[in-house]
Amino acid sequence: MRETNLRGVDLNLLVVLEALLRERHITRAATSLSMSQPAVSRALGRLRETFDDPLLVRGPAGLTLSERAEGLRQPLADLLAGLSGLVAAPDFEPADATGSLRIGCLDLEAAIYLPDLVPAIRQNAPNMQLEIYSHPDDYFALLAEGRLHLAISGLEPWAGAAQFHRRVIDHTHSEVLMGQDNALADPPMTLERYSAARHGVVSITGRGPAMMDERLARQGVHRQVALKLSSFANVSDACANSDVIFSLPHRLTRRLAARDGRLVTRPLPGALQEQRFPMYLYWHARHHNDAMSQWFRRLLLQTIDQRIDHGDTADDRP
C-alpha cells in the first residue's frame, strides 16, 4: 500500500467528503455543511486529487459514487465518529446544543411511539433538529454507517448483531380494525367469518405476502384482499366508509378507534391469535458512550414509558 504523508492532507476535507458521499449532491452537501456550493465544488476537486479518483461521477439519475468512493463510506464514517468522540466535550447541555438527532422507523412505529418526542425535543433542546426517517430501508446499515442515532424495529439484525445495543420498548399483538357497522363487529369472530371478509393491507415495501397471509396459509385458508395501501394514513377512512377490515398492531388499532368514533376493534379469531412480539429500540456501538446519544436515548425512552404501560423491558445487548 502506498504510504501517505498525513501532514500534506487537509483533514477538514474528510468532513466535506462524508457529506458528499452521504448526499451525492453538491448543493445538498453544501447546505448540510453550511458552506457555499463553490466552496464544496473546490473541495471536491482537491479530494479527487488526494484520492486520485473522481469519487462522484455523473449518471442518468444524477451523481453516483465511484467504486473507490463506495469503499470509503464505512471507514470514513467510523473515522469521523472516532474523531468526534475524541474531541467532543464529555458533557452535553441540550439547552445549548445544536445539530441533528436522527431516528429511523416506519410511519406505523412513528405514529405509535413518537408523538411525545417532538414536544420533548422542543422543550429540552430547542436549537436541535429532529429527523425522523420513515422510508423503508435497512435501518441496521444506517445505524452502522452513523446516519442514524436510533432505530425502532421489531426485526433482528441479519448480521453483525454484536455491533448493536437494544432495549425492548413494547410488546404488541394484532387486532382487527373495522367500521362500527361492519357485520364482523358482532361476535363471534370465527376463522370462517374473518377469512370471508374483505381485507385491507398496508404494504410498506410492496413486496412479498403479508404476515397474516402466511398465518392463514398455515391454517389452510386464504383471504380476499380488496384494498392495498402503502401507508397507514388512510386506514381510518377506508374502514369507516366500507366493509374493509384491517389486521394491525393493537397499539395502532386502539389509537385509531379512540380518535374516530366510527371505528371499533375486535380480537382476531382464536386460531390466528399469536404471542405478543417485542419492539426494540436499537443503537450502534459507535454511539453507545456518546453524551448526546445517551441523552437522546433517555429522552425517547422516557416519552415512550409515559405513553405505554409495560413491565421490565431491559434487554441491553453488550
Side-chain angles (χ1 to χ4, degrees):
M1 179 181 294
R2 177 171 57 90
E3 293 186 359
T4 301
N5 185 355
L6 289 179
R7 288 180 296 179
V9 177
D10 184 354
L11 298 182
N12 290 317
L13 291 175
L14 298 182
V15 178
V16 179
L17 178 59
E18 189 278 335
L20 287 167
L21 299 186
R22 169 168 37 88
E23 299 291 347
R24 305 187 187 201
H25 193 280
I26 292 176
T27 300
R28 289 199 298 267
T31 300
S32 70
L33 294 166
S34 299
M35 295 174 61
S36 67
Q37 181 177 341
V40 172
S41 295
R42 290 193 297 270
L44 176 57
R46 295 174 61 191
L47 285 163
R48 285 168 168 165
E49 293 178 3
T50 298
F51 288 93
D52 192 23
D53 187 88
L55 300 176
L56 278 80
V57 295
R58 294 211 170 271
L63 293 177
T64 187
L65 302 186
S66 69
E67 184 175 351
R68 178 77 187 281
E70 284 286 359
L72 288 171
R73 289 177 61 192
Q74 187 62 56
L76 180 61
D78 292 340
L79 173 63
L80 292 181
L83 289 174
S84 178
L86 183 65
V87 301
D91 297 325
F92 174 73
E93 296 294 339
D96 301 322
T98 60
S100 296
L101 302 166
R102 301 182 296 274
I103 183 169
C105 61
L106 298 178
D107 63 346
L108 167 63
E109 284 84 30
I112 296 174
Y113 301 114
L114 301 187
D116 299 329
L117 182 60
V118 174
I121 295 293
R122 296 299 305 138
Q123 178 180 355
N124 292 278
N127 298 314
M128 298 202 76
Q129 180 184 57
L130 176 64
E131 299 180 16
I132 301 175
Y133 183 79
S134 296
H135 183 75
D137 210 327
D138 184 350
Y139 295 135
F140 298 109
L142 297 179
L143 287 170
E145 293 170 4
R147 297 171 64 184
L148 294 176
H149 295 106
L150 299 172
I152 295 176
S153 177
L155 303 176
E156 301 265 351
W158 65 272
Q163 304 174 45
F164 302 99
H165 298 265
R166 71 182 183 185
R167 164 81 180 268
V168 178
I169 59 172
D170 192 18
H171 288 87
T172 188
H173 62 275
S174 296
E175 288 185 341
V176 185
L177 182 72
M178 66 189 77
Q180 61 182 352
D181 297 325
N182 194 298
L184 277 180
D186 295 324
M189 176 71 80
T190 64
L191 180 60
E192 291 74 19
R193 294 184 71 200
Y194 175 83
S195 59
R198 294 179 179 272
H199 292 258
V201 174
V202 179
S203 178
I204 300 296
T205 65
R207 299 187 299 271
M211 286 189 296
M212 183 56 66
D213 291 309
E214 296 175 348
R215 287 157 61 188
L216 284 168
R218 290 195 292 269
Q219 299 293 327
V221 297
H222 69 278
R223 62 178 176 172
Q224 179 183 358
V225 176
L227 176 64
K228 184 176 288 188
L229 303 176
S230 60
S231 78
F232 297 89
N234 298 320
V235 167
S236 294
D237 287 336
C239 287
N241 297 323
S242 74
D243 60 350
V244 172
I245 67 172
F246 283 81
S247 301
L248 300 169
H250 79 287
R251 297 287 184 196
L252 181 62
T253 60
R254 296 180 188 185
R255 183 171 181 266
L256 294 177
R259 290 187 170 190
D260 192 329
R262 302 172 299 170
L263 305 177
V264 294
T265 67
R266 295 292 183 266
L268 286 166
L272 296 177
Q273 292 181 11
E274 83 283 28
Q275 293 182 340
R276 292 158 64 90
F277 54 89
M279 292 296 300
Y280 298 104
L281 178 68
Y282 282 99
W283 62 95
H284 193 267
R286 71 167 69 243
H287 289 134
H288 186 61
N289 295 316
D290 175 69
M292 183 192 76
S293 298
Q294 290 177 339
W295 172 83
F296 188 26
R297 291 197 300 271
R298 287 195 301 269
L299 183 68
L300 177 56
L301 289 169
Q302 287 171 5
T303 63
I304 293 175
D305 286 342
Q306 291 169 2
R307 174 170 289 268
I308 295 175
D309 181 22
H310 51 73
D312 183 11
T313 58
D315 185 13
D316 188 13
R317 201 178 257 151

